[in-house]
Amino acid sequence: MTQPLVLGIETSCDDTACAVLDGDGRVLSSVVSSQLAAHRPYGGVVPEIASREHLANWPAVSGEALARAGVSLHDIEVVAATRGPGLVGALLVGLSIGKAIAFAGRHPFHAVHHLEGHLYSPFLRPPGDPQPPEPMPDRFVGLVLSGGHSSLFAVEEGAVSTIAETRDDAIGEVFDKVGKRLGLPYPQGPKVDELAERGTPGAQRFPVSRFGETLDFSYSGLKSQALLEIERLERALGPIDLGAGGEPPEQVLDLLAAFRESAVGQVLDRLERLHERRPFSLLAVSGGAAANRLLRRQLPVWAERHGVDLRLVPLVYSGDNAAMIAHAALLRHRRGLVDDPFAAEAESRIPI
Ligand code: KG4
Ligand code: ZN
């Protein structure tokens, strides 16, 4: 275990997370407590409930993270918490706790951008892996696919610039909305992915959307087409409610397979066009939707064909977690950066 020990805190949405990293970036522990049960009756995340749950969960989550790392709060030397983007009330809980711990212990504090956490997460090794992460490369292209973002970034010597952004719905969000329309419980994304595995996309096709000449992502068109198609199916089959259990009709499985193929197809389209315009040699893919099975099968094939080195986020860090926040903070710390805990504020929307 090398110095300094970093405590990471993440409470931007509905996961209460705490992690401990050592100075080389080894993940000593990463604990994520999901609030799924609390939000499920509402079909999505309820901000007020998220804040309360973070407060209630924090003692157990942080206690577990410290215990698994085999350290106490007194051993912590650097503190990091997510400052945004996210739900302000939820962010405030983790950020305030982080500020308090940093202030009380006179530790350097880092208010971390949530997307910066995702962006560097493909370089982390699984918790308990004795190997430190590989040194951060000087330049790479970062692809973040989550519930709030579908974005491409260029990272050069620690400076991050945006290549392409979400124009409307983010990729994870449309998986959730299509699943919700079919009666699936929150979070619908993983379940839609699972059902799509059993369908055949050949029966119908959704075109891959583009946003003019830009590389920006646009998923609202695909969402509307999928919802219309569900309506059409319901006229033929009667109401569809996959939440009620039972075997989903084959047409629904095929529809989900076609939907997923187009969603993932858009990601590959953007990569292909970016690579044509300015070839790159290293691609790091992260975010909750980077858990998508089709994406995880197709990306290595695409990368191999283009001679691109691929870092696909380990599944343990694809969804929101605090290891990625502590890691981003460690990278900032090494560059001599630090934040004033009194000045750091939670913000729902902030550019990277
Ligand atoms: O990164 P994340 O945990 O939270 C945000 O920062 O948004 O991402 C959560 C999103 C949700 O929309 C969820 O449905 C989606 O990622 N997701 C998936 C899959 N697993 C999670 N989307 C598609 N396929 C999956 N296997
Ligand atoms: Zn996230």
Side-chain angles (χ1 to χ4, degrees):
M1 195 184 299
T2 53
Q3 312 298 327
L5 291 189
V6 186
L7 183 78
I9 303 169
E10 153 66 40
T11 63
S12 68
C13 192
D14 61 331
D15 290 308
T16 313
C18 181
V20 181
L21 265 62
D22 79 1
D24 286 330
R26 286 183 194 88
V27 180
L28 304 182
S29 67
S30 174
V31 176
V32 181
S33 167
S34 138
Q35 305 178 357
L36 285 187
H39 298 282
R40 189 155 273 158
Y42 308 94
V45 176
V46 183
E48 177 63 24
I49 294 180
S51 312
R52 286 165 193 248
E53 289 278 311
H54 285 314
L55 266 179
N57 293 344
W58 174 254
V61 170
S62 56
E64 175 88 26
L66 291 168
R68 279 196 213 167
V71 302
S72 84
L73 200 50
H74 298 292
D75 302 315
I76 297 297
E77 295 160 285
V78 174
V79 181
T82 308
R83 71 182 167 109
L87 304 170
V88 166
L91 287 163
L92 266 174
V93 176
L95 191 64
S96 305
I97 291 169
K99 286 161 124 176
I101 296 173
F103 175 72
R106 298 171 192 268
H107 304 307
F109 178 69
H110 293 273
V112 176
H113 194 292
H114 182 78
L115 285 189
E116 213 170 307
H118 278 302
L119 188 56
Y120 298 115
S121 64
F123 299 95
L124 284 171
R125 292 189 193 279
D129 192 322
Q131 283 264 94
E134 63 180 305
M136 198 49 60
D138 288 339
R139 53 178 59 210
F140 65 93
V141 166
L143 171 64
V144 182
L145 303 170
S146 70
H149 299 269
S150 342
S151 318
L152 275 165
F153 299 103
V155 184
E156 282 172 27
E157 319 270 340
V160 181
S161 56
T162 306
I163 301 171
E165 244 309 341
T166 320
R167 284 291 184 148
D168 34 59
D169 296 82
I171 182 168
E173 192 179 355
V174 286
F175 272 82
D176 292 335
K177 285 179 175 167
V178 167
K180 190 172 182 180
R181 174 66 180 77
L182 292 170
L184 291 171
Y186 174 82
Q188 295 84 359
K191 189 73 190 161
V192 166
D193 184 24
E194 210 178 295
L195 293 172
E197 286 283 290
R198 296 164 50 197
T200 316
Q204 68 189 121
R205 294 271 146 139
F206 294 112
V208 168
S209 311
R210 284 194 176 173
F211 204 88
E213 274 308 294
T214 75
L215 296 177
D216 285 344
F217 292 86
S218 170
Y219 280 105
S220 68
L222 174 62
K223 177 188 67 184
S224 306
Q225 287 166 358
L227 296 182
L228 272 176
E229 199 53 36
I230 293 170
E231 215 170 289
R232 203 184 59 78
L233 272 185
E234 284 192 327
R235 279 200 295 275
L237 306 173
I240 302 167
D241 183 5
L242 303 185
E247 184 57 20
E250 207 166 302
Q251 293 99 313
V252 173
L253 298 177
D254 291 351
L255 181 144
L256 292 180
F259 160 77
R260 183 180 68 163
E261 189 174 78
S262 170
V264 171
Q266 184 173 150
V267 174
L268 296 175
D269 169 78
R270 301 306 190 263
L271 290 174
E272 183 76 33
R273 285 157 70 214
L274 176 63
H275 197 264
E276 268 167 26
R277 290 180 194 183
R278 46 163 147 164
F280 53 91
S281 54
L282 182 57
L283 173 67
V285 184
S286 59
N292 188 271
R293 294 166 170 89
L294 182 66
L295 186 82
R296 291 184 89 86
R297 286 197 294 271
Q298 293 192 344
L299 274 176
V301 178
W302 182 89
E304 162 112 48
R305 185 147 37 87
H306 292 76
V308 169
D309 237 350
L310 177 67
R311 298 288 181 281
L312 201 44
V313 65
L315 280 175
V316 271
Y317 305 126
S318 65
D320 289 343
N321 65 86
M324 69 182 193
I325 300 303
H327 181 227
L330 182 62
L331 297 175
R332 287 168 54 84
H333 185 78
R334 285 182 189 156
R335 291 165 59 205
L337 299 172
V338 69
D339 291 311
D340 176 357
F342 286 107
E345 285 191 44
E347 286 177 79
S348 61
R349 289 169 181 274
I350 24 172
I352 196 161

